[in-house]
Amino acid sequence: QVQLVESGGGLVQAGASLRLSCAASGRTFSSYAMGWFRQAPGKERDFVSAITWSGGHTYYGSSVKGRFTISRDNAKNTVYLQMNSLKPEDTAVYYCAAGYTTGFNSYEYDYWGQGTQVTVSS
């Protein structure tokens, strides 16, 4: 089992950058694909980005591609989401997730963090 704790959210102005971190417990972190999802009030949880267990392949949602970068450090049991050129529409609670496959859907992940709020003002 894996426990996930996100950090790094906050309130920023449009155009700013933030880096989210997701720290995982357990010795099998490197076995899991990791994903980031986000959920705005009244909306569904949307795919943001994912990375394979090795870090060799990364995937992005169309709305963040070119602005966000996912990475992982298996030695530190941590996955990151670097978010640049933030827009007000990026405002949401961001969740990290761990799963056995690198999926684009929330149901493909088995473990979830509690989320961290990102608010981008215009």
Side-chain angles (χ1 to χ4, degrees):
Q1 190 164 351
V2 177
Q3 292 184 328
L4 305 171
V5 179
E6 302 97 334
S7 61
L11 171 62
V12 297
Q13 290 188 332
S17 298
L18 279 175
R19 189 176 80 155
L20 304 183
S21 299
C22 174
S25 65
R27 294 177 290 178
T28 59
F29 173 76
S30 60
S31 300
Y32 293 96
M34 299 297 296
W36 285 97
F37 290 77
R38 66 186 183 187
Q39 188 167 19
K43 296 189 176 181
E44 294 184 350
R45 191 169 294 190
D46 291 333
F47 171 76
V48 175
S49 184
I51 188 167
T52 55
W53 66 270
S54 67
H57 295 278
T58 57
Y59 306 90
Y60 298 94
S62 58
S63 62
V64 306
K65 196 168 187 177
R67 299 188 297 124
F68 291 11
T69 303
I70 191 171
S71 61
R72 67 189 296 162
D73 185 338
N74 286 342
K76 295 182 178 180
N77 281 11
T78 303
V79 63
Y80 305 97
L81 186 68
Q82 177 67 43
M83 306 186 296
N84 298 330
S85 302
L86 283 162
K87 305 175 181 180
E89 50 265 43
D90 294 319
T91 295
V93 177
Y94 284 70
Y95 298 90
C96 73
Y100 294 103
T101 60
T102 313
F104 302 152
N105 302 289
S106 59
Y107 62 78
E108 296 179 272
Y109 291 84
D110 301 286
Y111 304 103
W112 291 84
Q114 82 291 348
T116 185
Q117 176 70 46
V118 172
T119 303
V120 185
S121 63
S122 58

Short mmCIF file of all heavy atoms in Angstrom, two decimals, residues 33-36 47-53 55-62 64-65 68-70 81 101-104 109:
data_model
loop_
_atom_site.label_atom_id
_atom_site.label_comp_id
_atom_site.label_asym_id
_atom_site.label_seq_id
_atom_site.Cartn_x
_atom_site.Cartn_y
_atom_site.Cartn_z
N ALA A 33 3.25 3.59 -11.57
CA ALA A 33 3.06 4.77 -12.40
C ALA A 33 2.40 5.83 -11.53
O ALA A 33 1.63 5.52 -10.62
CB ALA A 33 2.17 4.44 -13.59
N MET A 34 2.70 7.07 -11.84
CA MET A 34 2.15 8.18 -11.04
C MET A 34 1.40 9.14 -11.95
O MET A 34 1.82 9.40 -13.09
CB MET A 34 3.27 8.92 -10.33
CG MET A 34 4.05 8.07 -9.35
SD MET A 34 3.05 7.46 -7.98
CE MET A 34 2.59 8.99 -7.17
N GLY A 35 0.34 9.68 -11.42
CA GLY A 35 -0.44 10.64 -12.19
C GLY A 35 -0.83 11.84 -11.36
O GLY A 35 -0.84 11.80 -10.13
N TRP A 36 -1.11 12.93 -12.06
CA TRP A 36 -1.67 14.12 -11.45
C TRP A 36 -3.03 14.38 -12.10
O TRP A 36 -3.16 14.33 -13.32
CB TRP A 36 -0.79 15.34 -11.66
CG TRP A 36 0.45 15.37 -10.82
CD1 TRP A 36 1.70 14.98 -11.18
CD2 TRP A 36 0.56 15.85 -9.48
NE1 TRP A 36 2.58 15.18 -10.15
CE2 TRP A 36 1.90 15.72 -9.09
CE3 TRP A 36 -0.34 16.40 -8.56
CZ2 TRP A 36 2.37 16.10 -7.83
CZ3 TRP A 36 0.12 16.78 -7.32
CH2 TRP A 36 1.46 16.63 -6.95
N PHE A 47 -7.70 14.59 -15.95
CA PHE A 47 -6.30 14.17 -16.09
C PHE A 47 -5.42 15.37 -16.38
O PHE A 47 -5.76 16.20 -17.23
CB PHE A 47 -6.20 13.14 -17.21
CG PHE A 47 -4.78 12.79 -17.59
CD1 PHE A 47 -4.03 11.95 -16.79
CD2 PHE A 47 -4.21 13.32 -18.74
CE1 PHE A 47 -2.73 11.63 -17.14
CE2 PHE A 47 -2.91 13.01 -19.10
CZ PHE A 47 -2.17 12.15 -18.29
N VAL A 48 -4.29 15.45 -15.71
CA VAL A 48 -3.31 16.49 -15.96
C VAL A 48 -2.04 15.92 -16.58
O VAL A 48 -1.60 16.36 -17.64
CB VAL A 48 -2.96 17.24 -14.65
CG1 VAL A 48 -1.84 18.25 -14.90
CG2 VAL A 48 -4.19 17.92 -14.07
N SER A 49 -1.48 14.91 -15.92
CA SER A 49 -0.20 14.38 -16.38
C SER A 49 0.05 13.03 -15.74
O SER A 49 -0.53 12.71 -14.70
CB SER A 49 0.92 15.36 -16.01
OG SER A 49 2.16 14.92 -16.52
N ALA A 50 0.92 12.24 -16.37
CA ALA A 50 1.29 10.94 -15.82
C ALA A 50 2.72 10.61 -16.23
O ALA A 50 3.23 11.13 -17.23
CB ALA A 50 0.33 9.85 -16.30
N ILE A 51 3.31 9.73 -15.44
CA ILE A 51 4.69 9.32 -15.70
C ILE A 51 4.83 7.85 -15.39
O ILE A 51 4.24 7.35 -14.42
CB ILE A 51 5.67 10.18 -14.87
CG1 ILE A 51 7.12 9.92 -15.26
CG2 ILE A 51 5.45 9.98 -13.38
CD1 ILE A 51 8.09 10.97 -14.70
N THR A 52 5.55 7.15 -16.22
CA THR A 52 5.76 5.73 -16.00
C THR A 52 6.65 5.48 -14.78
O THR A 52 7.29 6.39 -14.27
CB THR A 52 6.38 5.08 -17.24
OG1 THR A 52 7.59 5.79 -17.58
CG2 THR A 52 5.42 5.10 -18.41
N TRP A 53 6.71 4.22 -14.35
CA TRP A 53 7.44 3.90 -13.13
C TRP A 53 8.91 4.30 -13.23
O TRP A 53 9.53 4.71 -12.25
CB TRP A 53 7.31 2.41 -12.81
CG TRP A 53 7.98 1.52 -13.82
CD1 TRP A 53 7.44 0.98 -14.95
CD2 TRP A 53 9.34 1.08 -13.80
NE1 TRP A 53 8.37 0.25 -15.63
CE2 TRP A 53 9.55 0.28 -14.95
CE3 TRP A 53 10.40 1.26 -12.92
CZ2 TRP A 53 10.77 -0.31 -15.23
CZ3 TRP A 53 11.62 0.67 -13.19
CH2 TRP A 53 11.79 -0.10 -14.34
N GLY A 55 10.06 6.69 -15.20
CA GLY A 55 10.22 8.08 -15.61
C GLY A 55 10.54 8.23 -17.08
O GLY A 55 10.73 9.35 -17.57
N GLY A 56 10.55 7.13 -17.79
CA GLY A 56 10.96 7.17 -19.18
C GLY A 56 9.92 7.74 -20.14
O GLY A 56 10.26 8.16 -21.24
N HIS A 57 8.68 7.72 -19.71
CA HIS A 57 7.61 8.24 -20.56
C HIS A 57 6.71 9.15 -19.74
O HIS A 57 6.36 8.83 -18.60
CB HIS A 57 6.79 7.11 -21.17
CG HIS A 57 7.58 6.25 -22.10
ND1 HIS A 57 7.81 6.61 -23.43
CD2 HIS A 57 8.20 5.06 -21.93
CE1 HIS A 57 8.54 5.67 -24.00
NE2 HIS A 57 8.79 4.73 -23.13
N THR A 58 6.33 10.26 -20.34
CA THR A 58 5.43 11.21 -19.68
C THR A 58 4.27 11.54 -20.60
O THR A 58 4.38 11.47 -21.84
CB THR A 58 6.17 12.49 -19.30
OG1 THR A 58 6.75 13.08 -20.48
CG2 THR A 58 7.28 12.22 -18.29
N TYR A 59 3.17 11.92 -20.01
CA TYR A 59 1.95 12.20 -20.75
C TYR A 59 1.28 13.43 -20.14
O TYR A 59 1.36 13.66 -18.93
CB TYR A 59 1.00 11.00 -20.67
CG TYR A 59 1.64 9.71 -21.12
CD1 TYR A 59 2.30 8.90 -20.21
CD2 TYR A 59 1.61 9.32 -22.45
CE1 TYR A 59 2.92 7.73 -20.60
CE2 TYR A 59 2.24 8.15 -22.85
CZ TYR A 59 2.88 7.36 -21.93
OH TYR A 59 3.50 6.20 -22.32
N TYR A 60 0.60 14.20 -21.00
CA TYR A 60 -0.01 15.44 -20.55
C TYR A 60 -1.39 15.63 -21.16
O TYR A 60 -1.63 15.25 -22.30
CB TYR A 60 0.87 16.64 -20.93
CG TYR A 60 2.23 16.59 -20.30
CD1 TYR A 60 3.31 16.04 -20.97
CD2 TYR A 60 2.43 17.09 -19.01
CE1 TYR A 60 4.57 15.97 -20.38
CE2 TYR A 60 3.68 17.03 -18.41
CZ TYR A 60 4.73 16.46 -19.10
OH TYR A 60 5.98 16.40 -18.50
N GLY A 61 -2.26 16.27 -20.37
CA GLY A 61 -3.52 16.69 -20.93
C GLY A 61 -3.32 17.84 -21.89
O GLY A 61 -2.34 18.60 -21.77
N SER A 62 -4.22 17.99 -22.81
CA SER A 62 -4.03 18.99 -23.87
C SER A 62 -3.99 20.41 -23.31
O SER A 62 -3.32 21.28 -23.86
CB SER A 62 -5.15 18.87 -24.91
OG SER A 62 -6.42 19.03 -24.28
N VAL A 64 -2.60 21.48 -20.63
CA VAL A 64 -1.39 21.82 -19.88
C VAL A 64 -0.11 21.51 -20.65
O VAL A 64 0.98 21.88 -20.22
CB VAL A 64 -1.35 21.09 -18.52
CG1 VAL A 64 -2.61 21.37 -17.73
CG2 VAL A 64 -1.12 19.59 -18.69
N LYS A 65 -0.24 20.84 -21.76
CA LYS A 65 0.94 20.44 -22.53
C LYS A 65 1.73 21.67 -22.95
O LYS A 65 1.17 22.65 -23.44
CB LYS A 65 0.53 19.63 -23.75
CG LYS A 65 1.66 18.86 -24.39
CD LYS A 65 1.12 17.87 -25.41
CE LYS A 65 2.23 16.97 -25.93
NZ LYS A 65 1.73 15.94 -26.88
N PHE A 68 3.27 22.48 -18.30
CA PHE A 68 3.52 21.67 -17.11
C PHE A 68 4.54 20.59 -17.45
O PHE A 68 4.58 20.07 -18.57
CB PHE A 68 2.25 21.00 -16.63
CG PHE A 68 1.21 21.94 -16.04
CD1 PHE A 68 1.33 23.32 -16.15
CD2 PHE A 68 0.11 21.42 -15.37
CE1 PHE A 68 0.38 24.17 -15.62
CE2 PHE A 68 -0.85 22.26 -14.82
CZ PHE A 68 -0.71 23.63 -14.95
N THR A 69 5.32 20.20 -16.44
CA THR A 69 6.29 19.13 -16.59
C THR A 69 6.22 18.21 -15.38
O THR A 69 6.34 18.67 -14.24
CB THR A 69 7.71 19.68 -16.72
OG1 THR A 69 7.78 20.58 -17.83
CG2 THR A 69 8.71 18.54 -16.94
N ILE A 70 6.05 16.94 -15.64
CA ILE A 70 6.03 15.95 -14.57
C ILE A 70 7.40 15.28 -14.50
O ILE A 70 8.06 15.07 -15.52
CB ILE A 70 4.92 14.89 -14.79
CG1 ILE A 70 4.73 14.03 -13.56
CG2 ILE A 70 5.19 14.06 -16.03
CD1 ILE A 70 3.50 13.13 -13.62
N LEU A 81 5.28 18.11 -10.08
CA LEU A 81 4.59 18.73 -11.21
C LEU A 81 5.00 20.19 -11.25
O LEU A 81 4.58 20.98 -10.40
CB LEU A 81 3.07 18.60 -11.08
CG LEU A 81 2.29 19.10 -12.29
CD1 LEU A 81 2.53 18.19 -13.50
CD2 LEU A 81 0.79 19.20 -11.99
N THR A 101 -0.75 0.96 -13.83
CA THR A 101 -0.66 1.32 -15.25
C THR A 101 -0.65 2.83 -15.38
O THR A 101 -1.16 3.54 -14.50
CB THR A 101 -1.85 0.76 -16.04
OG1 THR A 101 -3.07 1.30 -15.50
CG2 THR A 101 -1.89 -0.76 -15.97
N THR A 102 -0.10 3.31 -16.45
CA THR A 102 -0.03 4.75 -16.70
C THR A 102 -1.28 5.16 -17.46
O THR A 102 -1.31 5.13 -18.69
CB THR A 102 1.23 5.09 -17.50
OG1 THR A 102 2.35 4.43 -16.95
CG2 THR A 102 1.47 6.60 -17.48
N GLY A 103 -2.31 5.47 -16.70
CA GLY A 103 -3.59 5.74 -17.33
C GLY A 103 -3.95 7.20 -17.38
O GLY A 103 -3.34 8.04 -16.72
N PHE A 104 -4.98 7.50 -18.17
CA PHE A 104 -5.48 8.85 -18.31
C PHE A 104 -6.80 9.05 -17.56
O PHE A 104 -7.37 10.15 -17.57
CB PHE A 104 -5.71 9.19 -19.78
CG PHE A 104 -4.48 9.06 -20.64
CD1 PHE A 104 -4.60 8.76 -21.99
CD2 PHE A 104 -3.22 9.23 -20.12
CE1 PHE A 104 -3.47 8.63 -22.79
CE2 PHE A 104 -2.09 9.11 -20.89
CZ PHE A 104 -2.22 8.80 -22.24
N TYR A 109 -6.19 4.38 -11.28
CA TYR A 109 -5.25 4.57 -10.19
C TYR A 109 -5.83 4.03 -8.89
O TYR A 109 -7.02 4.14 -8.63
CB TYR A 109 -4.89 6.05 -10.06
CG TYR A 109 -4.06 6.52 -11.24
CD1 TYR A 109 -4.67 6.92 -12.43
CD2 TYR A 109 -2.67 6.54 -11.18
CE1 TYR A 109 -3.92 7.31 -13.53
CE2 TYR A 109 -1.91 6.94 -12.26
CZ TYR A 109 -2.54 7.32 -13.43
OH TYR A 109 -1.79 7.71 -14.51
#
